[in-house]
C-alpha cells in the first residue's frame, strides 16, 4: 500500500455544534412526551391518565425552549425572521420554521382543553397534534438526511431513527416524572408504581427497536461505498467510538435493558430510575455523535 | 444536464499537468475578494505519496465547483444562495441568516463563515470580474496558466476544446451535483479525503 501523507489542506470550522444536538434532543423529548400524553386523552387508555398533564406541560415547555438553541446558533440571530418571509420549499429548515410555530400553539390549546377537562376537544387537539409532533421531530431527521455531504447523516433511516429515539427519551422522561410524582402523592403510590412498570415495558420495546435500527444503519454503512465505511469506522473504532459504543450503546441502551429485563431488578423502582437517567444520557449522546461526529469526517 | 443550450454556462478547467503548487491562486483570491484570515475560498491541497526514491507530490487546487445541481441551493432555507443564468452560484449577503446548513450540506468544504461579516461566503468565479469582461483573479494570476475559465456552451471556447480533447475528472461525482470545475490529470489520492494513511 502506497504511503499517502497530507502536506497542506484547509479544514473549515465545523458548522453545526452542540447547540444543534441540544435542539434535536429537546424536540425529541417534546415529541415523545406529547405522544405519551395523547395515550389517555386521545386514545382513551385511562391507565396513562396520571402522566398526561405533566407530559403536555413538559412537551410545551421543551418546545418553547428548543428553538432558542437554533436562534442562538445563527450567525445573524436578528435575521431569524427571514425564515418566515423567504421560503425555499426544498429546504427542510423552511418546513421546520412553520412546524416550530404551529406545534407549540397546538400544544397550548391541547393543554388548555385538557386542564378544563373538555374531553371532546382535548381528544381532537391531541389527535391533530400527533402528526405534528411526529413531523416536528421527523423533520429534524430530514435536516440530517438531506445534508448530503455528511455520509453519517445521509441515510433514509435517519428520520425513523430520530423518531424512535425521541420515543425512547420521552418514555424515560415520563418514567422519571411518574417516580417523582409517587414521592409526593402518597395515596396513589401503588397506582403510580404500576404505571412506572408499565412505561418500563414500553421503554424496553422502544430501546430494542432503536438498537435494531442503529444496527441496520451500521451494517449498511460498513458494506456500502468507501466513504460510508470510513463513517462507520469513525463511530466503531475512531475518535467517536468511546461516545458511541461506550455511552450511547452500552451505557444508554444495554445497561438499561439489563436493568429492566433481569428478574432481580425489573420490579424495582430504583432500577427504573437509573435506567431512565442512563437512557436520557444515551439519547443525548446519540444526538451529539450524529451531529458532531457526522461533521468530523473530512470533506476535502 | 439541463437544457440551457443557448445560454452562457461558465466553468473552469484546471490542468494539473501544469500546476506547480505555488498558491498564487490562493493569494490572489484572498486579495481580490477580501477573504479574512483563517478562511479560504480557494486553496491548493498538497499530498505526498510513496517512499524515497519512488515519490510524488500531487497538487489539487480546490474552489467552489459552482455545481449545476447545488445541494447548498436546495437546502438554503431563505433562498440566500441562488444560481445565476450563467450557472454561477452566489450567496446574497443581505439575506443570509448564517444557519450554516449550506456549509454542512456542501460535499466540497468550500463554504465558510466570514468571521467579520457573520455570513456564509464562497468562491463565485469572481462574478464581479466576469461581469466586467475579465477573467477570475485566480485564472488571471496563475503563472503556468493551469486554470482555464470560459463558456462551456460555446464549442469554440478554449475550455470547451480542452474538455473535448482531454480525459477529465470532477470531485465526488457520486453526489449528483454536476460540478463545473474539471481537472485534467488529478491524482486519485489527492481527490480522496480518506486516502491519507500515515
Amino acid at each position: 500500500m502506497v504511503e499517502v501523507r497530507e502536506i497542506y489542506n484547509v479544514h473549515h470550522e465545523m458548522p453545526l455544534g452542540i447547540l444543534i444536538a441540544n435542539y434535536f434532543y429537546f424536540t425529541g423529548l417534546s415529541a415523545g412526551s406529547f405522544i405519551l400524553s395523547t395515550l389517555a386523552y386521545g386514545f382513551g387508555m385511562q391507565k396513562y391518565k396520571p402522566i398526561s398533564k405533566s407530559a403536555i406541560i413538559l412537551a410545551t415547555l421543551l418546545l418553547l425552549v428548543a428553538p432558542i438553541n437554533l436562534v442562538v446558533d445563527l450567525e445573524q440571530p436578528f435575521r431569524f425572521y427571514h425564515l418566515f418571509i423567504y421560503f425555499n420549499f426544498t429546504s427542510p429548515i423552511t418546513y421546520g420554521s412553520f412546524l416550530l410555530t404551529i406545534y407549540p400553539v397546538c400544544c397550548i390549546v391541547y393543554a388548555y382543553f385538557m386542564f378544563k377537562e373538555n374531553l371532546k376537544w382535548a381528544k381532537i387537539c391531541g389527535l391533530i397534534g400527533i402528526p405534528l409532533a411526529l413531523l416536528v421531530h421527523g423533520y429534524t431527521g430530514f435536516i440530517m438526511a438531506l445534508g448530503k455531504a455528511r455520509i453519517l447523516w445521509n441515510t433514509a433511516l435517519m428520520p425513523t431513527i430520530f423518531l424512535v429515539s425521541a420515543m425512547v427519551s420521552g418514555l424515560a422522561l415520563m418514567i422519571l416524572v411518574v417516580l417523582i410524582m409517587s414521592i409526593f402523592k402518597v395515596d396513589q403510590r401503588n397506582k403510580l408504581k404500576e404505571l412506572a412498570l408499565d412505561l418500563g415495558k414500553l421503554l424496553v420495546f422502544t430501546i430494542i427497536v432503536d438498537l435494531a435500527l442503529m444496527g441496520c444503519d451500521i451494517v449498511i454503512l460498513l458494506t456500502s461505498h468507501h466513504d460510508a465505511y470510513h463513517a462507520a469506522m469513525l463511530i466503531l473504532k475512531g475518535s467517536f467510538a468511546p461516545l458511541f459504543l461506550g455511552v450511547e450503546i452500552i451505557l444508554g441502551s444495554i445497561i438499561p435493558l439489563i436493568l429492566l429485563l433481569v428478574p432481580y431488578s425489573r420490579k424495582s423502582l430504583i432500577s427504573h430510575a437509573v435506567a431512565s437517567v442512563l437512557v436520557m444520557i444515551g439519547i443525548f449522546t446519540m444526538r451529539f455523535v450524529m451531529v458532531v461526529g457526522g461533521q468530523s469526517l473530512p470533506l476535502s | 444536464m439541463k437544457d440551457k443550450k443557448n445560454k452562457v454556462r461558465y466553468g473552469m478547467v484546471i490542468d494539473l499537468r501544469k500546476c506547480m503548487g505555488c498558491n498564487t491562486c490562493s493569494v490572489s483570491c484572498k486579495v481580490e475578494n477580501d477573504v479574512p484570515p483563517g478562511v479560504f475560498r480557494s486553496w491548493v491541497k498538497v499530498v505526498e505519496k510513496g517512499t524515497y526514491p519512488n515519490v510524488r507530490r500531487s497538487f489539487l487546487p480546490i474552489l467552489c465547483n459552482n455545481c449545476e445541481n447545488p445541494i447548498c441551493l436546495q437546502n438554503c432555507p431563505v433562498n440566500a444562495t441562488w444560481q445565476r443564468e450563467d450557472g454561477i452560484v452566489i450567496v446574497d449577503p443581505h439575506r443570509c441568516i448564517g444557519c450554516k446548513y449550506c456549509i454542512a450540506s456542501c460535499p466540497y468544504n468550500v463554504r465558510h463563515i466570514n468571521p467579520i461579516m457573520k455570513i456564509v461566503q464562497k468562491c463565485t468565479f469572481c462574478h464581479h470580474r466576469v461581469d466586467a469582461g475579465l477573467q477570475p483573479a485566480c485564472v488571471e494570476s496563475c503563472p503556468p496558466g493551469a486554470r482555464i475559465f470560459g463558456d462551456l456552451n460555446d464549442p469554440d471556447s478554449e475550455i470547451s476544446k480542452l474538455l473535448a480533447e482531454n480525459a477529465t475528472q470532477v470531485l465526488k461525482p457520486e453526489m449528483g451535483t454536476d460540478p463545473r470545475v474539471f481537472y485534467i490529470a488529478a491524482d486519485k489520492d489527492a481527490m480522496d479525503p480518506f486516502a491519507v494513511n500515515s
Side-chain angles (χ1 to χ4, degrees), chain A residues 139-173:
Chain A
Y139 106 89
T140 60
F142 278 103
I143 288 190
M144 303 253 95
L146 296 185
K148 203 170 169 181
R150 316 288 170 165
I151 299 101
L152 203 55
W153 301 358
N154 183 19
T155 150
L157 276 180
M158 196 49 72
T160 324
I161 291 180
F162 264 52
L163 282 177
V164 173
S165 56
M167 279 313 293
V168 173
S169 61
L171 277 163
L173 181 68

mmCIF file of all heavy atoms in Angstrom, chain A residues 139-173:
data_model
loop_
_atom_site.group_PDB
_atom_site.id
_atom_site.type_symbol
_atom_site.label_atom_id
_atom_site.label_comp_id
_atom_site.label_asym_id
_atom_site.label_seq_id
_atom_site.Cartn_x
_atom_site.Cartn_y
_atom_site.Cartn_z
ATOM 1 N N TYR A 139 -38.841 16.001 10.921
ATOM 2 C CA TYR A 139 -38.155 16.912 10.001
ATOM 3 C C TYR A 139 -36.705 17.118 10.426
ATOM 4 O O TYR A 139 -35.843 17.339 9.574
ATOM 5 C CB TYR A 139 -38.921 18.238 9.894
ATOM 6 C CG TYR A 139 -38.272 19.396 10.605
ATOM 7 C CD1 TYR A 139 -37.340 20.194 9.960
ATOM 8 C CD2 TYR A 139 -38.567 19.685 11.930
ATOM 9 C CE1 TYR A 139 -36.719 21.243 10.616
ATOM 10 C CE2 TYR A 139 -37.960 20.726 12.590
ATOM 11 C CZ TYR A 139 -37.038 21.497 11.931
ATOM 12 O OH TYR A 139 -36.415 22.519 12.586
ATOM 13 N N THR A 140 -36.420 17.035 11.725
ATOM 14 C CA THR A 140 -35.013 17.162 12.137
ATOM 15 C C THR A 140 -34.208 15.994 11.579
ATOM 16 O O THR A 140 -33.049 16.154 11.221
ATOM 17 C CB THR A 140 -34.863 17.216 13.665
ATOM 18 O OG1 THR A 140 -35.394 16.018 14.222
ATOM 19 C CG2 THR A 140 -35.575 18.402 14.263
ATOM 20 N N GLY A 141 -34.858 14.823 11.473
ATOM 21 C CA GLY A 141 -34.201 13.693 10.810
ATOM 22 C C GLY A 141 -33.918 14.025 9.357
ATOM 23 O O GLY A 141 -32.870 13.675 8.825
ATOM 24 N N PHE A 142 -34.861 14.755 8.721
ATOM 25 C CA PHE A 142 -34.641 15.138 7.326
ATOM 26 C C PHE A 142 -33.534 16.178 7.202
ATOM 27 O O PHE A 142 -32.808 16.196 6.210
ATOM 28 C CB PHE A 142 -35.932 15.658 6.698
ATOM 29 C CG PHE A 142 -36.813 14.540 6.224
ATOM 30 C CD1 PHE A 142 -37.924 14.154 6.932
ATOM 31 C CD2 PHE A 142 -36.486 13.853 5.074
ATOM 32 C CE1 PHE A 142 -38.714 13.112 6.512
ATOM 33 C CE2 PHE A 142 -37.270 12.805 4.639
ATOM 34 C CZ PHE A 142 -38.389 12.432 5.356
ATOM 35 N N ILE A 143 -33.405 17.066 8.212
ATOM 36 C CA ILE A 143 -32.296 18.022 8.177
ATOM 37 C C ILE A 143 -30.984 17.262 8.061
ATOM 38 O O ILE A 143 -30.113 17.585 7.265
ATOM 39 C CB ILE A 143 -32.284 18.897 9.443
ATOM 40 C CG1 ILE A 143 -33.449 19.877 9.401
ATOM 41 C CG2 ILE A 143 -30.967 19.660 9.568
ATOM 42 C CD1 ILE A 143 -33.385 20.928 10.480
ATOM 43 N N MET A 144 -30.867 16.207 8.856
ATOM 44 C CA MET A 144 -29.653 15.401 8.797
ATOM 45 C C MET A 144 -29.565 14.670 7.463
ATOM 46 O O MET A 144 -28.561 14.748 6.768
ATOM 47 C CB MET A 144 -29.662 14.354 9.907
ATOM 48 C CG MET A 144 -29.811 14.904 11.298
ATOM 49 S SD MET A 144 -28.275 14.802 12.183
ATOM 50 C CE MET A 144 -27.647 16.385 11.886
ATOM 51 N N ALA A 145 -30.649 13.974 7.098
ATOM 52 C CA ALA A 145 -30.595 13.103 5.928
ATOM 53 C C ALA A 145 -30.330 13.890 4.647
ATOM 54 O O ALA A 145 -29.666 13.397 3.747
ATOM 55 C CB ALA A 145 -31.893 12.312 5.799
ATOM 56 N N LEU A 146 -30.819 15.123 4.544
ATOM 57 C CA LEU A 146 -30.622 15.900 3.320
ATOM 58 C C LEU A 146 -29.304 16.655 3.337
ATOM 59 O O LEU A 146 -28.957 17.293 2.340
ATOM 60 C CB LEU A 146 -31.782 16.869 3.105
ATOM 61 C CG LEU A 146 -33.144 16.213 2.876
ATOM 62 C CD1 LEU A 146 -34.181 17.259 2.548
ATOM 63 C CD2 LEU A 146 -33.085 15.197 1.759
ATOM 64 N N GLY A 147 -28.588 16.661 4.452
ATOM 65 C CA GLY A 147 -27.227 17.205 4.461
ATOM 66 C C GLY A 147 -26.333 16.191 3.773
ATOM 67 O O GLY A 147 -25.552 15.487 4.388
ATOM 68 N N LYS A 148 -26.473 16.153 2.462
ATOM 69 C CA LYS A 148 -25.986 15.032 1.667
ATOM 70 C C LYS A 148 -24.478 14.806 1.808
ATOM 71 O O LYS A 148 -23.995 13.685 1.660
ATOM 72 C CB LYS A 148 -26.314 15.349 0.214
ATOM 73 C CG LYS A 148 -26.410 14.180 -0.692
ATOM 74 C CD LYS A 148 -26.983 14.687 -2.009
ATOM 75 C CE LYS A 148 -26.878 13.651 -3.086
ATOM 76 N NZ LYS A 148 -27.412 14.179 -4.348
ATOM 77 N N ALA A 149 -23.738 15.884 2.091
ATOM 78 C CA ALA A 149 -22.285 15.759 2.122
ATOM 79 C C ALA A 149 -21.823 14.843 3.246
ATOM 80 O O ALA A 149 -20.769 14.224 3.159
ATOM 81 C CB ALA A 149 -21.653 17.131 2.289
ATOM 82 N N ARG A 150 -22.587 14.786 4.327
ATOM 83 C CA ARG A 150 -22.137 14.043 5.516
ATOM 84 C C ARG A 150 -22.678 12.634 5.446
ATOM 85 O O ARG A 150 -23.888 12.409 5.553
ATOM 86 C CB ARG A 150 -22.610 14.742 6.792
ATOM 87 C CG ARG A 150 -22.428 16.234 6.762
ATOM 88 C CD ARG A 150 -20.975 16.618 6.882
ATOM 89 N NE ARG A 150 -20.806 18.048 6.613
ATOM 90 C CZ ARG A 150 -19.714 18.725 6.916
ATOM 91 N NH1 ARG A 150 -18.703 18.141 7.503
ATOM 92 N NH2 ARG A 150 -19.636 20.005 6.627
ATOM 93 N N ILE A 151 -21.744 11.680 5.279
ATOM 94 C CA ILE A 151 -22.158 10.302 4.997
ATOM 95 C C ILE A 151 -22.938 9.710 6.156
ATOM 96 O O ILE A 151 -23.883 8.960 5.974
ATOM 97 C CB ILE A 151 -20.934 9.422 4.667
ATOM 98 C CG1 ILE A 151 -20.231 9.969 3.438
ATOM 99 C CG2 ILE A 151 -21.325 8.009 4.406
ATOM 100 C CD1 ILE A 151 -19.014 10.769 3.726
ATOM 101 N N LEU A 152 -22.556 10.095 7.371
ATOM 102 C CA LEU A 152 -23.227 9.537 8.540
ATOM 103 C C LEU A 152 -24.694 9.973 8.599
ATOM 104 O O LEU A 152 -25.538 9.297 9.182
ATOM 105 C CB LEU A 152 -22.491 10.008 9.803
ATOM 106 C CG LEU A 152 -22.632 9.172 11.061
ATOM 107 C CD1 LEU A 152 -22.231 7.747 10.816
ATOM 108 C CD2 LEU A 152 -21.789 9.752 12.177
ATOM 109 N N TRP A 153 -25.002 11.137 8.027
ATOM 110 C CA TRP A 153 -26.370 11.656 8.080
ATOM 111 C C TRP A 153 -27.233 11.159 6.936
ATOM 112 O O TRP A 153 -28.438 11.011 7.076
ATOM 113 C CB TRP A 153 -26.369 13.195 7.969
ATOM 114 C CG TRP A 153 -25.620 13.921 9.004
ATOM 115 C CD1 TRP A 153 -24.965 13.389 10.067
ATOM 116 C CD2 TRP A 153 -25.446 15.345 9.085
ATOM 117 N NE1 TRP A 153 -24.383 14.392 10.791
ATOM 118 C CE2 TRP A 153 -24.668 15.589 10.206
ATOM 119 C CE3 TRP A 153 -25.885 16.409 8.293
ATOM 120 C CZ2 TRP A 153 -24.304 16.882 10.580
ATOM 121 C CZ3 TRP A 153 -25.535 17.675 8.650
ATOM 122 C CH2 TRP A 153 -24.745 17.919 9.797
ATOM 123 N N ASN A 154 -26.589 10.959 5.782
ATOM 124 C CA ASN A 154 -27.351 10.803 4.546
ATOM 125 C C ASN A 154 -27.863 9.374 4.410
ATOM 126 O O ASN A 154 -27.375 8.598 3.615
ATOM 127 C CB ASN A 154 -26.461 11.190 3.371
ATOM 128 C CG ASN A 154 -27.196 11.130 2.057
ATOM 129 O OD1 ASN A 154 -28.413 11.137 2.022
ATOM 130 N ND2 ASN A 154 -26.460 11.048 0.976
ATOM 131 N N THR A 155 -28.846 9.013 5.234
ATOM 132 C CA THR A 155 -29.452 7.697 5.126
ATOM 133 C C THR A 155 -30.954 7.826 5.296
ATOM 134 O O THR A 155 -31.420 8.671 6.051
ATOM 135 C CB THR A 155 -28.869 6.727 6.176
ATOM 136 O OG1 THR A 155 -29.882 5.778 6.506
ATOM 137 C CG2 THR A 155 -28.459 7.425 7.430
ATOM 138 N N ALA A 156 -31.677 6.993 4.557
ATOM 139 C CA ALA A 156 -33.139 7.039 4.611
ATOM 140 C C ALA A 156 -33.653 6.633 5.991
ATOM 141 O O ALA A 156 -34.781 6.929 6.354
ATOM 142 C CB ALA A 156 -33.726 6.116 3.542
ATOM 143 N N LEU A 157 -32.807 5.952 6.765
ATOM 144 C CA LEU A 157 -33.228 5.514 8.103
ATOM 145 C C LEU A 157 -33.258 6.665 9.098
ATOM 146 O O LEU A 157 -33.864 6.551 10.158
ATOM 147 C CB LEU A 157 -32.259 4.460 8.630
ATOM 148 C CG LEU A 157 -32.486 3.033 8.219
ATOM 149 C CD1 LEU A 157 -31.418 2.157 8.848
ATOM 150 C CD2 LEU A 157 -33.844 2.558 8.656
ATOM 151 N N MET A 158 -32.568 7.770 8.761
ATOM 152 C CA MET A 158 -32.350 8.819 9.758
ATOM 153 C C MET A 158 -33.655 9.360 10.385
ATOM 154 O O MET A 158 -33.759 9.416 11.605
ATOM 155 C CB MET A 158 -31.513 9.943 9.137
ATOM 156 C CG MET A 158 -30.889 10.892 10.120
ATOM 157 S SD MET A 158 -30.035 10.094 11.455
ATOM 158 C CE MET A 158 -28.595 9.470 10.643
ATOM 159 N N PRO A 159 -34.695 9.739 9.581
ATOM 160 C CA PRO A 159 -35.920 10.237 10.222
ATOM 161 C C PRO A 159 -36.532 9.201 11.179
ATOM 162 O O PRO A 159 -37.001 9.555 12.266
ATOM 163 C CB PRO A 159 -36.840 10.526 9.042
ATOM 164 C CG PRO A 159 -35.926 10.764 7.901
ATOM 165 C CD PRO A 159 -34.778 9.849 8.119
ATOM 166 N N THR A 160 -36.503 7.925 10.771
ATOM 167 C CA THR A 160 -37.074 6.882 11.626
ATOM 168 C C THR A 160 -36.260 6.718 12.905
ATOM 169 O O THR A 160 -36.824 6.626 14.003
ATOM 170 C CB THR A 160 -37.099 5.545 10.868
ATOM 171 O OG1 THR A 160 -37.371 5.798 9.506
ATOM 172 C CG2 THR A 160 -38.122 4.618 11.441
ATOM 173 N N ILE A 161 -34.935 6.706 12.761
ATOM 174 C CA ILE A 161 -34.086 6.583 13.952
ATOM 175 C C ILE A 161 -34.381 7.736 14.909
ATOM 176 O O ILE A 161 -34.508 7.547 16.116
ATOM 177 C CB ILE A 161 -32.595 6.576 13.556
ATOM 178 C CG1 ILE A 161 -32.253 5.295 12.810
ATOM 179 C CG2 ILE A 161 -31.702 6.721 14.785
ATOM 180 C CD1 ILE A 161 -30.804 5.204 12.387
ATOM 181 N N PHE A 162 -34.525 8.933 14.341
ATOM 182 C CA PHE A 162 -34.785 10.091 15.191
ATOM 183 C C PHE A 162 -36.127 9.961 15.907
ATOM 184 O O PHE A 162 -36.245 10.291 17.082
ATOM 185 C CB PHE A 162 -34.740 11.382 14.345
ATOM 186 C CG PHE A 162 -33.401 12.052 14.411
ATOM 187 C CD1 PHE A 162 -32.259 11.343 14.147
ATOM 188 C CD2 PHE A 162 -33.293 13.385 14.755
ATOM 189 C CE1 PHE A 162 -31.017 11.945 14.216
ATOM 190 C CE2 PHE A 162 -32.060 14.001 14.830
ATOM 191 C CZ PHE A 162 -30.913 13.282 14.559
ATOM 192 N N LEU A 163 -37.147 9.466 15.198
ATOM 193 C CA LEU A 163 -38.467 9.339 15.831
ATOM 194 C C LEU A 163 -38.433 8.296 16.933
ATOM 195 O O LEU A 163 -38.975 8.518 18.026
ATOM 196 C CB LEU A 163 -39.512 8.958 14.791
ATOM 197 C CG LEU A 163 -39.988 10.114 13.914
ATOM 198 C CD1 LEU A 163 -40.963 9.613 12.875
ATOM 199 C CD2 LEU A 163 -40.647 11.187 14.773
ATOM 200 N N VAL A 164 -37.799 7.154 16.656
ATOM 201 C CA VAL A 164 -37.775 6.095 17.677
ATOM 202 C C VAL A 164 -36.974 6.562 18.887
ATOM 203 O O VAL A 164 -37.407 6.397 20.035
ATOM 204 C CB VAL A 164 -37.204 4.790 17.083
ATOM 205 C CG1 VAL A 164 -37.018 3.756 18.172
ATOM 206 C CG2 VAL A 164 -38.125 4.258 16.025
ATOM 207 N N SER A 165 -35.834 7.234 18.636
ATOM 208 C CA SER A 165 -35.060 7.681 19.799
ATOM 209 C C SER A 165 -35.808 8.779 20.548
ATOM 210 O O SER A 165 -35.636 8.932 21.755
ATOM 211 C CB SER A 165 -33.664 8.127 19.372
ATOM 212 O OG SER A 165 -33.757 9.120 18.402
ATOM 213 N N ALA A 166 -36.662 9.538 19.833
ATOM 214 C CA ALA A 166 -37.497 10.521 20.528
ATOM 215 C C ALA A 166 -38.450 9.824 21.486
ATOM 216 O O ALA A 166 -38.629 10.246 22.632
ATOM 217 C CB ALA A 166 -38.293 11.344 19.522
ATOM 218 N N MET A 167 -39.051 8.719 21.034
ATOM 219 C CA MET A 167 -39.956 7.968 21.913
ATOM 220 C C MET A 167 -39.180 7.398 23.095
ATOM 221 O O MET A 167 -39.671 7.416 24.228
ATOM 222 C CB MET A 167 -40.616 6.817 21.135
ATOM 223 C CG MET A 167 -41.800 7.203 20.299
ATOM 224 S SD MET A 167 -42.986 8.236 21.154
ATOM 225 C CE MET A 167 -43.629 7.122 22.376
ATOM 226 N N VAL A 168 -37.966 6.898 22.841
ATOM 227 C CA VAL A 168 -37.160 6.341 23.931
ATOM 228 C C VAL A 168 -36.925 7.404 24.996
ATOM 229 O O VAL A 168 -37.193 7.189 26.191
ATOM 230 C CB VAL A 168 -35.812 5.811 23.393
ATOM 231 C CG1 VAL A 168 -34.909 5.397 24.527
ATOM 232 C CG2 VAL A 168 -36.023 4.662 22.437
ATOM 233 N N SER A 169 -36.461 8.598 24.553
ATOM 234 C CA SER A 169 -36.143 9.621 25.557
ATOM 235 C C SER A 169 -37.415 10.136 26.224
ATOM 236 O O SER A 169 -37.426 10.419 27.420
ATOM 237 C CB SER A 169 -35.340 10.757 24.921
ATOM 238 O OG SER A 169 -36.082 11.379 23.907
ATOM 239 N N GLY A 170 -38.526 10.249 25.459
ATOM 240 C CA GLY A 170 -39.785 10.700 26.057
ATOM 241 C C GLY A 170 -40.271 9.737 27.128
ATOM 242 O O GLY A 170 -40.709 10.147 28.209
ATOM 243 N N LEU A 171 -40.173 8.436 26.842
ATOM 244 C CA LEU A 171 -40.613 7.439 27.828
ATOM 245 C C LEU A 171 -39.755 7.513 29.080
ATOM 246 O O LEU A 171 -40.278 7.456 30.208
ATOM 247 C CB LEU A 171 -40.525 6.039 27.222
ATOM 248 C CG LEU A 171 -41.712 5.610 26.366
ATOM 249 C CD1 LEU A 171 -41.343 4.428 25.506
ATOM 250 C CD2 LEU A 171 -42.897 5.265 27.249
ATOM 251 N N ALA A 172 -38.438 7.660 28.873
ATOM 252 C CA ALA A 172 -37.548 7.733 30.042
ATOM 253 C C ALA A 172 -37.895 8.944 30.895
ATOM 254 O O ALA A 172 -37.969 8.867 32.129
ATOM 255 C CB ALA A 172 -36.091 7.798 29.583
ATOM 256 N N LEU A 173 -38.154 10.073 30.228
ATOM 257 C CA LEU A 173 -38.520 11.286 30.959
ATOM 258 C C LEU A 173 -39.811 11.065 31.746
ATOM 259 O O LEU A 173 -39.926 11.454 32.917
ATOM 260 C CB LEU A 173 -38.680 12.451 29.982
ATOM 261 C CG LEU A 173 -39.037 13.798 30.582
ATOM 262 C CD1 LEU A 173 -37.879 14.328 31.394
ATOM 263 C CD2 LEU A 173 -39.408 14.804 29.504
#
